[in-house]
Amino acid sequence: MEKLKSDISKIAYYCFYLGIVIEVAMVIIDKSAYTNPIEGRLFQITFLLFLLKVCMSRYAPREYLTIFLFCILGAVSYFITGRNEVIRLVIFIAACKDIDMKVCLKTVFYMTLVGCGLLIFLSLTGIYGDVSLTQEYGRGGVETRYTLGMGHPNALQCMVWALTVLGLYLYGKKMKWYHYGLIVIINFFFFLLTDSKTSFLVTLFTVMIAFVISLKKNKWIQKISIWICFGVTIVSIVISVVIAGNAYRLQRHAEGQDSSFVTMLLVRVNNVLNGRIRVLSGTTNYEGTIQTWSLFSKPENNYYFDMGWVRLFYWYGIIPACIFIAVMLIIMWYCYKNKHYMAVMMIASFALYTVIEAHGISVYLARNYVFFLIGAYWNYALCGGKENESIDHESHSIHFRNG
């Protein structure tokens, strides 16, 4: 019997990591110039792999009930919108039970780093992918900016930001001040290539917060930085909703019908965001604005735009979006209470970045590292941290007692 349990545990473990490897590989392929012809089939395979992991895992009654209720949410979302991302996410998060998430995220980190390095190498050597892209970027003229095999300069800077955030989460507490300085220099180098100002500024914010958190002797400064993270997360969501509710003003302003203070303020914000708000009011039906939102979205809500929080409500509906935000804030609070400050930092960085880019709101689970944090902590937050575990606050790892 013990050998059978051990074999089942090993199979579950390998199923989970095979799913992770495939998901990360799809992220790298998506960033390249290659179009993956079997992407849909791979999503089905990873779903089945994570489902197998769930079926071979043991849960507390409260956890089973939670999984069941969220599966209902995912099923409703799928049948109404035709999108399967919600149910895939639910199964993935449930499958994270008993997985050492720090080890998992290290796998994600190094796979992504090697994958991005390979794309850069292939482009610089002329084997595959473009080194730069010359076009009009909505800033008043034609520009040449570097892509290094990732299709768009913003995509390149995005991956630099994502790797920076994940690296800080994994190693930030052990880093010295000069390590943080080196990270800033590396990000500035890529900024010179891409000229992606917003991504670079979000990275600077993230590095500063992580550096303050790493100063263990300054507890008050640590807590202030954490509350800043909470504030940034909430304000990022609120601002996105306000923008979606007022984007129509830009169209009215362009037609000479509205020059109010609020409209002119929105015009300035739109200019800072390189026309991202104007995109919402530039379609016939004002796609992405609040008037196109519904409780569970609609199959025809498939328009692509950059603003991530707006896309979350538009693609998936008000109910799934609000539930995800609530779960994310609960996990943030749990991490704060248990002094997992780097996790709070990572969530805040994703929240801020998602205002301007939809990198984390996509069909690719491995793009959004917040999903992994939810997977790591959901059962502990649900059960009040009493399900036979002890938490190492320094390493953020979770150790299980026998029995």
Side-chain angles (χ1 to χ4, degrees):
M1 183 60 70
E2 289 299 323
K3 185 179 184 304
L4 178 61
K5 288 181 179 180
S6 176
D7 291 342
I8 291 175
S9 178
K10 288 179 181 179
I11 294 172
Y13 177 86
Y14 292 133
C15 284
F16 180 85
Y17 269 95
L18 179 56
I20 291 296
V21 168
I22 294 173
E23 287 283 351
V24 175
M26 283 193 288
V27 170
I28 301 302
I29 292 172
D30 175 66
K31 291 298 180 182
S32 73
Y34 181 71
T35 300
N36 188 352
I38 59 170
E39 186 175 83
R41 186 67 63 192
L42 290 176
F43 283 138
Q44 294 173 345
I45 291 173
T46 58
F47 174 79
L48 290 175
L49 288 169
F50 293 139
L51 182 60
L52 284 172
K53 169 62 171 64
V54 172
C55 292
M56 289 185 282
S57 299
R58 296 173 62 186
Y59 300 90
R62 191 184 301 181
E63 294 169 348
Y64 277 117
L65 177 60
T66 302
I67 294 171
F68 174 73
L69 293 176
F70 274 88
C71 281
I72 292 177
L73 174 69
V76 171
S77 176
Y78 173 72
F79 286 116
I80 293 179
T81 68
R83 293 184 172 277
N84 61 18
E85 289 90 83
V86 175
I87 188 64
R88 286 175 51 226
L89 176 59
V90 170
I91 296 302
F92 165 71
I93 290 174
C96 291
K97 177 74 180 287
D98 295 343
I99 294 294
D100 187 330
M101 196 50 62
K102 194 166 186 181
V103 172
C104 177
L105 284 173
K106 284 182 179 180
T107 302
V108 173
F109 177 77
Y110 288 110
M111 274 195 66
T112 305
L113 182 63
V114 171
C116 290
L118 180 60
L119 293 181
I120 293 173
F121 172 78
L122 291 175
S123 67
L124 291 176
T125 54
I127 297 174
Y128 192 76
D130 296 324
V131 175
S132 62
L133 181 63
T134 301
Q135 65 175 36
E136 206 282 318
Y137 290 93
R139 302 194 292 193
V142 176
E143 303 173 76
T144 296
R145 296 161 63 185
Y146 288 89
T147 62
L148 302 185
M150 298 191 196
H152 196 279
N154 288 346
L156 172 58
Q157 192 72 45
C158 172
M159 294 310 294
V160 175
W161 159 80
L163 286 167
T164 298
V165 174
L166 185 52
L168 290 172
Y169 168 76
L170 293 171
Y171 303 108
K173 279 202 169 186
K174 297 180 180 179
M175 287 165 48
K176 306 297 184 182
W177 66 268
Y178 47 84
H179 294 138
Y180 284 93
L182 179 60
I183 288 174
V184 172
I185 292 172
I186 292 172
N187 275 272
F188 184 69
F189 169 74
F190 279 99
F191 167 67
L192 293 177
L193 297 177
T194 65
D195 198 26
S196 298
K197 297 181 179 66
T198 48
S199 296
F200 179 63
L201 291 175
V202 173
T203 303
L204 283 183
F205 162 79
T206 306
V207 173
M208 286 189 293
I209 291 293
F211 177 68
V212 172
I213 290 174
S214 70
L215 301 176
K216 300 175 184 179
K217 295 181 180 180
N218 297 286
K219 301 298 183 182
W220 283 106
I221 296 179
Q222 277 188 336
K223 288 194 174 183
I224 290 172
S225 66
I226 294 302
W227 285 110
I228 290 175
C229 288
F230 275 99
V232 165
T233 301
I234 294 171
V235 170
S236 296
I237 298 166
V238 171
I239 285 178
S240 298
V241 174
V242 171
I243 287 175
N246 290 274
Y248 70 92
R249 292 175 180 270
L250 293 181
Q251 182 65 29
R252 292 175 58 183
H253 174 72
E255 296 170 352
Q257 300 178 9
D258 190 348
S259 297
S260 64
F261 172 77
V262 174
T263 298
M264 297 312 297
L265 178 61
L266 200 65
V267 169
R268 293 188 180 90
V269 174
N270 179 64
N271 292 335
V272 172
L273 298 180
N274 294 327
R276 284 176 169 84
I277 303 175
R278 183 69 178 86
V279 170
L280 301 181
S281 60
T283 58
T284 302
N285 297 320
Y286 287 10
E287 301 294 340
T289 59
I290 281 183
Q291 70 184 47
T292 62
W293 295 5
S294 55
L295 294 181
F296 274 97
S297 190
K298 302 172 183 177
E300 58 268 26
N301 282 14
N302 55 12
Y303 188 68
Y304 278 80
F305 47 83
D306 289 330
M307 301 190 69
W309 289 117
V310 178
R311 183 191 286 189
L312 178 66
F313 284 94
Y314 170 72
W315 270 12
Y316 303 105
I318 296 172
I319 291 177
C322 287
I323 290 175
F324 172 73
I325 291 169
V327 170
M328 183 182 70
L329 292 174
I330 290 171
I331 296 301
M332 281 188 77
W333 181 253
Y334 176 84
C335 290
Y336 165 69
K337 296 293 288 184
N338 288 279
K339 300 182 181 179
H340 296 179
Y341 295 152
M342 286 297 181
V344 177
M345 172 276 297
M346 186 156 72
I347 294 173
S349 183
F350 265 84
L352 181 59
Y353 194 76
T354 302
V355 174
I356 56 175
E357 295 286 357
H359 172 79
I361 309 299
S362 72
V363 297
Y364 303 100
L365 298 180
R367 274 190 182 187
N368 195 331
Y369 306 141
V370 175
F371 297 158
F372 291 80
L373 292 182
I374 295 174
Y377 295 116
W378 72 271
N379 53 315
Y380 303 111
L382 178 67
C383 298
K386 298 177 180 179
E387 290 296 309
N388 292 331
E389 88 282 2
S390 60
I391 300 176
D392 181 345
H393 299 296
E394 291 300 320
S395 69
H396 294 192
S397 60
I398 297 173
H399 308 279
F400 296 89
R401 303 190 191 103
N402 293 325

